[in-house]
Amino acid sequence: MNKPVLEVKNIWKTYHVKVLGGLKTYEVVALRGVSLKIEKGEVLGILGESGCGKSTLGKIALGLEIPDEGEVFWFGNSLKNLDRKTCKTLRPKVQAVLQDPYSSLNPRYKIKEVLLEPYLINVSPDKKEGLSKAQELLNQVGLDTSVLEKYPHELSGGQRQRIALARALMVNPELLVLDEPTSALDVTIQAQILELMKTLKERYQLSYLLISHSLPVVFYLADWIGVIYLGTLVELCHKSSFKRLNHHPYTELLIRSYLDPFAPSQIFSEIEIELNPPISDGCVFLDRCPVKTKDCYKTNPSLVKKTDLQYIACFNI
């Protein structure tokens, strides 16, 4: 049986934030016991509002951040125990496409150098082969090879994001972590990039960890949809059953906000903003939940299987 492309187990991450010139320090719990996995060829979409821990999860999945607790596995190998040789073999297989395609591309490099650098380091020192692959990938992402001699600032946002996708594919990855890959683009370009990512996934049999605050984006690309609230994975559901099952109250809030974005504010009247959420006792959504019961105060529930296609951290669903 094939091992998951990516698996994270019971991930906790806390940041210590200094304010008032360093006179006071706050603990910000970014992730709380998050566990999930992605099989080969699957797309897992992570949905949640800004500040919920989505990007932190992406950085930990990429090996760019070290969790306080828990483990990350690439292709069945724990990142805690990777030796240098194994890490060098696996590193190219896990790549990222970030939110801002301008800041993620070196402005001093021509596009040719941007694409060749990862290839020469991870695949082969042969520049001729690398250039040939770069031209092939540019064609597949819908760009003319003339952009090879241009700098990032000479390209539009959509073109730069296509370059970012081509760069990630230069090293033959199996997993792409997509951190808000379309949020910096206008609507029409977003649609083109999403369609391109779907095509590339099928062509190269890629797996995606898609991070977004947009339900339509996640619903378009993902096979599984995970919802994070204040660092806690409150729901994990397969897209095929998403529209017909009862959801976590926070997921319902997200769905309603997209179904009718111009609805009067009273649809949210029962849900208040919580600036100091409970950390140890009670459900993480407790103080904002309109359907809470006395059981919700006792413990913070972990994901519980509701059906074969849905897992929810809630006592009342």
Side-chain angles (χ1 to χ4, degrees):
M1 184 176 179
N2 293 330
K3 295 179 179 178
V5 173
L6 172 71
E7 185 172 11
V8 300
K9 291 184 177 180
N10 194 34
I11 295 295
W12 288 77
K13 183 66 179 179
T14 301
Y15 293 101
H16 300 274
V17 181
K18 292 184 179 181
V19 296
L20 300 176
L23 297 177
K24 198 166 185 179
T25 302
Y26 286 93
E27 282 192 355
V28 178
V29 183
L31 292 174
R32 308 177 188 188
V34 174
S35 298
L36 52 83
K37 63 181 179 180
I38 302 175
E39 303 290 347
K40 183 173 179 59
E42 280 188 343
V43 179
L44 171 59
I46 298 296
L47 186 66
E49 60 196 28
S50 297
C52 71
K54 305 186 304 295
S55 292
T56 299
L57 176 61
K59 291 176 183 177
I60 289 175
L62 286 165
L64 301 179
E65 292 269 8
I66 299 175
D68 300 329
E69 296 180 34
E71 285 189 86
V72 179
F73 296 84
W74 290 349
F75 312 98
N77 299 276
S78 172
L79 297 194
K80 284 184 178 180
N81 306 317
L82 280 188
D83 57 71
R84 186 184 295 265
K85 183 178 180 181
T86 306
C87 184
K88 189 175 180 179
T89 301
L90 295 180
R91 174 77 271 179
K93 295 183 179 182
V94 182
Q95 295 296 306
V97 177
L98 304 177
Q99 177 176 357
D100 184 355
Y102 185 71
S103 62
S104 67
L105 302 177
N106 192 327
R108 296 185 177 185
Y109 282 11
K110 289 184 177 180
I111 299 305
K112 174 173 62 178
E113 297 165 319
V114 168
L115 296 179
L116 279 177
E117 184 181 32
Y119 184 88
L120 297 178
I121 293 172
N122 295 289
V123 181
S124 168
D126 190 322
K127 287 188 177 181
K128 187 176 180 180
E129 286 183 6
L131 190 57
S132 176
K133 186 173 180 67
Q135 293 171 337
E136 177 189 345
L137 286 172
L138 285 176
N139 181 59
Q140 292 183 14
V141 299
L143 292 176
D144 190 85
T145 55
S146 62
V147 303
L148 288 170
E149 297 299 327
K150 294 184 178 181
Y151 289 92
H153 73 270
E154 298 179 86
L155 305 177
S156 68
Q159 289 175 319
R160 290 195 289 263
Q161 198 63 298
R162 290 171 188 267
I163 294 296
L165 279 165
R167 178 181 60 180
L169 295 173
M170 284 292 293
V171 293
N172 305 314
E174 295 185 34
L175 171 69
L176 292 186
V177 177
L178 309 172
D179 190 358
E180 301 278 10
T182 61
S183 63
L185 308 174
D186 63 57
V187 176
T188 55
I189 302 301
Q190 282 185 25
Q192 294 174 17
I193 296 298
L194 286 173
E195 184 61 34
L196 174 60
M197 289 190 293
K198 197 168 192 177
T199 301
L200 293 173
K201 172 193 172 294
E202 295 169 356
R203 180 176 297 161
Y204 292 103
Q205 292 299 299
L206 296 170
S207 302
Y208 290 160
L209 174 60
L210 172 64
I211 295 166
S212 180
H213 62 264
S214 171
L215 179 59
V217 168
V218 169
F219 205 79
Y220 180 76
L221 272 181
D223 301 305
W224 287 85
I225 298 173
V227 180
I228 287 186
Y229 177 72
L230 290 177
T232 301
L233 187 63
V234 296
E235 181 171 354
L236 184 63
C237 181
H238 197 274
K239 183 173 71 173
S240 63
S241 61
F242 191 83
K243 293 182 179 180
R244 58 184 172 81
L245 295 175
N246 292 327
H247 294 286
H248 187 279
Y250 177 65
T251 307
E252 289 287 352
L253 170 63
L254 295 179
I255 294 171
R256 288 197 292 172
S257 70
Y258 277 101
L259 288 178
D260 191 358
F262 301 106
S265 59
Q266 59 259 33
I267 68 168
F268 303 113
S269 61
E270 297 179 345
I271 301 178
E272 300 176 355
I273 296 175
E274 176 55 51
L275 298 179
N276 296 299
I279 293 178
S280 56
D281 298 323
C283 173
V284 71
F285 194 59
L286 177 65
D287 290 351
R288 295 179 69 188
C289 183
V291 295
K292 59 191 174 187
T293 67
K294 61 180 181 180
D295 290 333
C296 302
Y297 289 85
K298 296 177 182 178
T299 183
N300 190 2
S302 57
L303 286 181
V304 175
K305 184 175 181 180
K306 296 296 181 178
T307 73
D308 288 338
L309 299 175
Q310 187 185 40
Y311 302 80
I312 294 185
C314 184
F315 293 113
N316 301 315
I317 302 300

